[in-house]
């Protein structure tokens, strides 16, 4: 599928080295009426930030019930149990809330090889979603190869 001038193809977005930072993401979530808060997912042992997602009240309740990270997909408009299809689930250590109670921190442990839905050049699950450095407002650089 070809990308338009403004929207890169998924492979270019996830693996490319041209920056396409989505500064409109939070505004779009609000326009679409999603009742969510941002969730930082952090490796409880290393402190590494794995990725950022969103939770609604159902996702938070299911996270506690399953003792595993459950989020709300704002792009698919559905509850998402992280790793349900890949096997890369994230076991819950604890949940924390910020001072204004408008964001959450899920401290987790990886049950599989990774946390990101993308794979490295060898086909392995990436341990987290922050696998590229931003070298300038328009350029990215892979850190894993």
């Amino acid at each position: 599928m070809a990308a338009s001038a403004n929207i890169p193809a998924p492979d270019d977005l996830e693996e490319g080295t041209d920056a396409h930072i989505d500064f409109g993401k939070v505004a779009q979530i609000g326009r679409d009426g999603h009742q969510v808060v941002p969730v930082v997912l952090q490796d409880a042992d290393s402190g590494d930030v794995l990725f950022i997602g969103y939770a609604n009240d159902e996702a938070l309740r299911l996270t506690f019930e399953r003792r595993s990270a459950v989020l709300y997909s704002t792009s698919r408009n559905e509850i998402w149990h992280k790793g349900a299809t890949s096997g890369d689930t994230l076991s819950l250590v604890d949940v924390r809330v910020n001072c204004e109670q408008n964001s959450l921190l899920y401290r987790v442990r990886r049950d599989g090889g990774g946390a990101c839905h993308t794979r490295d050049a060898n086909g392995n699950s990436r341990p987290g979603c922050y696998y590229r450095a931003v070298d300038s407002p328009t350029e990215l650089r892979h850190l894993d190869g």
Side-chain angles (χ1 to χ4, degrees):
M1 170 163 115
S4 73
N6 295 327
I7 302 172
D11 285 348
D12 291 337
L13 185 65
E14 294 174 354
E15 297 300 328
T17 55
D18 291 336
H20 299 279
I21 310 297
D22 187 357
F23 291 108
K25 175 71 174 178
V26 173
Q28 185 64 48
I29 290 169
R31 283 191 300 274
D32 290 346
H34 297 286
Q35 298 293 306
V36 296
V37 295
V39 179
V40 175
L41 288 99
Q42 180 185 45
D43 184 295
D45 298 315
S46 70
D48 290 345
V49 172
L50 305 176
F51 63 94
I52 302 226
Y54 300 92
N56 61 9
D57 57 347
E58 181 182 9
L60 180 59
R61 180 181 53 76
L62 288 169
T63 294
F64 282 111
E65 285 178 12
R66 295 180 181 181
R67 301 302 298 165
S68 183
V70 177
L71 301 156
Y72 181 81
S73 171
T74 58
S75 58
R76 295 186 314 266
N77 300 321
E78 65 184 21
I79 294 294
W80 163 47
H81 180 203
K82 170 65 183 103
T85 55
S86 68
D88 289 330
T89 55
L90 301 171
S91 291
L92 185 68
V93 173
D94 65 10
V95 175
R96 299 179 184 184
V97 65
N98 73 323
C99 58
E100 295 180 346
Q101 297 192 45
N102 59 13
S103 68
L104 297 169
L105 171 67
Y106 286 8
R107 291 181 355 102
V108 298
R109 288 198 174 96
R110 290 182 285 242
D111 298 320
C116 187
H117 71 280
T118 66
R119 302 205 178 265
D120 66 18
N122 296 319
N124 300 313
S125 296
R126 287 189 169 105
C129 292
Y130 295 94
Y131 53 89
R132 290 176 290 182
V134 180
D135 288 336
S136 77
T138 60
E139 294 180 48
L140 307 176
R141 175 178 37 89
H142 280 262
L143 299 172
D144 60 2

